[in-house]
Amino acid sequence: MLEILIVDDDKNIRRYLAAVLSNAGYTASCADCAEKALEIMEHVKIDLMILDIMMPCMDGYSFAELLRGCNNDVPILMLSARHLAEDVKKDFYLEPTTI
Protein backbone atom coordinates (compact mmCIF):
# COMPACT_ATOMS: atom_id res chain seq x y z
CA MET A 1 0.00 0.00 0.00
CA LEU A 2 1.30 3.47 -0.88
CA GLU A 3 2.25 5.75 2.00
CA ILE A 4 1.45 9.42 1.37
CA LEU A 5 2.73 12.21 3.59
CA ILE A 6 0.57 15.33 3.79
CA VAL A 7 2.52 18.39 4.96
CA ASP A 8 0.25 21.38 5.56
CA ASP A 9 -0.14 23.83 8.44
CA ASP A 10 -3.95 23.85 8.04
CA LYS A 11 -5.42 21.01 10.11
CA ASN A 12 -8.69 20.98 8.13
CA ILE A 13 -6.84 20.46 4.85
CA ARG A 14 -4.75 17.68 6.44
CA ARG A 15 -7.87 15.96 7.77
CA TYR A 16 -9.74 16.28 4.48
CA LEU A 17 -6.88 14.99 2.34
CA ALA A 18 -6.19 12.14 4.77
CA ALA A 19 -9.87 11.09 4.67
CA VAL A 20 -10.03 11.23 0.86
CA LEU A 21 -6.79 9.26 0.50
CA SER A 22 -7.83 6.72 3.12
CA ASN A 23 -11.16 6.16 1.36
CA ALA A 24 -9.22 5.60 -1.86
CA GLY A 25 -7.14 2.87 -0.19
CA TYR A 26 -3.96 4.80 0.58
CA THR A 27 -2.22 5.20 3.91
CA ALA A 28 -1.77 8.83 4.89
CA SER A 29 0.52 10.38 7.47
CA CYS A 30 0.18 14.04 8.39
CA ALA A 31 2.59 16.75 9.52
CA ASP A 32 1.89 20.40 10.23
CA CYS A 33 5.44 21.57 9.48
CA ALA A 34 8.66 20.52 7.77
CA GLU A 35 10.29 19.51 11.05
CA LYS A 36 7.51 17.03 11.89
CA ALA A 37 7.56 15.76 8.31
CA LEU A 38 11.26 14.94 8.67
CA GLU A 39 10.55 13.07 11.92
CA ILE A 40 7.91 10.97 10.15
CA MET A 41 10.25 10.32 7.23
CA GLU A 42 12.85 8.88 9.63
CA HIS A 43 10.45 6.06 10.54
CA VAL A 44 8.14 5.64 7.54
CA LYS A 45 9.01 5.07 3.88
CA ILE A 46 7.07 7.76 2.04
CA ASP A 47 5.97 7.04 -1.55
CA LEU A 48 4.50 10.50 -2.27
CA MET A 49 4.44 13.83 -0.48
CA ILE A 50 1.67 16.41 -0.77
CA LEU A 51 3.41 19.61 0.28
CA ASP A 52 1.85 22.99 0.99
CA ILE A 53 3.89 25.91 -0.28
CA MET A 54 2.84 28.57 2.23
CA MET A 55 3.79 27.33 5.70
CA PRO A 56 5.38 29.13 8.66
CA CYS A 57 9.03 28.58 9.62
CA MET A 58 10.03 26.70 6.45
CA ASP A 59 7.94 27.09 3.32
CA GLY A 60 7.30 24.27 0.87
CA TYR A 61 9.91 25.51 -1.61
CA SER A 62 12.64 25.50 1.04
CA PHE A 63 11.59 22.09 2.32
CA ALA A 64 11.61 20.59 -1.17
CA GLU A 65 15.06 22.09 -1.81
CA LEU A 66 16.29 20.63 1.49
CA LEU A 67 15.03 17.17 0.52
CA ARG A 68 16.61 17.35 -2.93
CA GLY A 69 19.86 18.59 -1.40
CA CYS A 70 19.92 15.39 0.70
CA ASN A 71 19.35 13.29 -2.45
CA ASN A 72 15.82 12.40 -1.35
CA ASP A 73 13.85 11.80 -4.54
CA VAL A 74 10.37 11.25 -3.10
CA PRO A 75 7.79 12.53 -5.59
CA ILE A 76 6.32 15.84 -4.43
CA LEU A 77 2.91 17.20 -5.29
CA MET A 78 2.94 20.93 -4.48
CA LEU A 79 -0.28 22.27 -2.98
CA SER A 80 -0.97 25.99 -3.15
CA ALA A 81 -3.66 28.63 -3.20
CA ARG A 82 -1.35 30.72 -5.36
CA HIS A 83 -2.31 30.92 -9.00
CA LEU A 84 -0.09 33.56 -10.58
CA ALA A 85 2.03 32.49 -13.54
CA GLU A 86 5.31 33.23 -11.76
CA ASP A 87 4.30 31.00 -8.82
CA VAL A 88 3.43 28.09 -11.10
CA LYS A 89 6.66 28.57 -13.04
CA LYS A 90 8.68 28.49 -9.78
CA ASP A 91 7.13 25.11 -8.90
CA PHE A 92 8.19 23.57 -12.20
CA TYR A 93 11.74 24.87 -12.07
CA LEU A 94 12.42 23.90 -8.46
CA GLU A 95 14.08 20.63 -9.50
CA PRO A 96 13.36 18.36 -12.43
CA THR A 97 12.80 15.43 -10.03
CA THR A 98 9.87 17.21 -8.30
CA ILE A 99 7.68 17.12 -11.39
Side-chain angles (χ1 to χ4, degrees):
M1 185 173 301
L2 291 177
E3 182 72 36
I4 300 175
L5 177 57
I6 303 162
V7 186
D8 196 309
D9 59 322
D10 185 316
K11 71 176 180 179
N12 293 322
I13 290 175
R14 288 192 313 269
R15 286 180 181 173
Y16 174 75
L17 289 174
V20 168
L21 292 168
S22 178
N23 286 339
Y26 299 101
T27 303
S29 298
C30 296
D32 62 357
C33 65
E35 183 178 324
K36 289 185 182 171
L38 288 172
E39 289 175 15
I40 291 170
M41 293 175 76
E42 287 181 10
H43 305 287
V44 179
K45 184 200 177 301
I46 301 301
D47 298 300
L48 172 70
M49 181 182 300
I50 300 175
L51 178 60
D52 183 26
I53 293 174
M54 298 179 352
M55 294 188 299
C57 299
M58 181 181 287
D59 67 16
Y61 293 125
S62 299
F63 186 46
E65 288 174 357
L66 173 74
L67 292 173
R68 296 304 183 235
C70 297
N71 294 319
N72 185 312
D73 62 353
V74 63
I76 299 173
L77 177 64
M78 302 296 271
L79 180 66
S80 178
R82 294 181 176 186
H83 60 280
L84 298 176
E86 58 266 17
D87 295 322
V88 173
K89 199 179 286 186
K90 185 175 181 179
D91 293 341
F92 280 107
Y93 292 106
L94 183 64
E95 270 294 318
T97 56
T98 62
I99 299 173

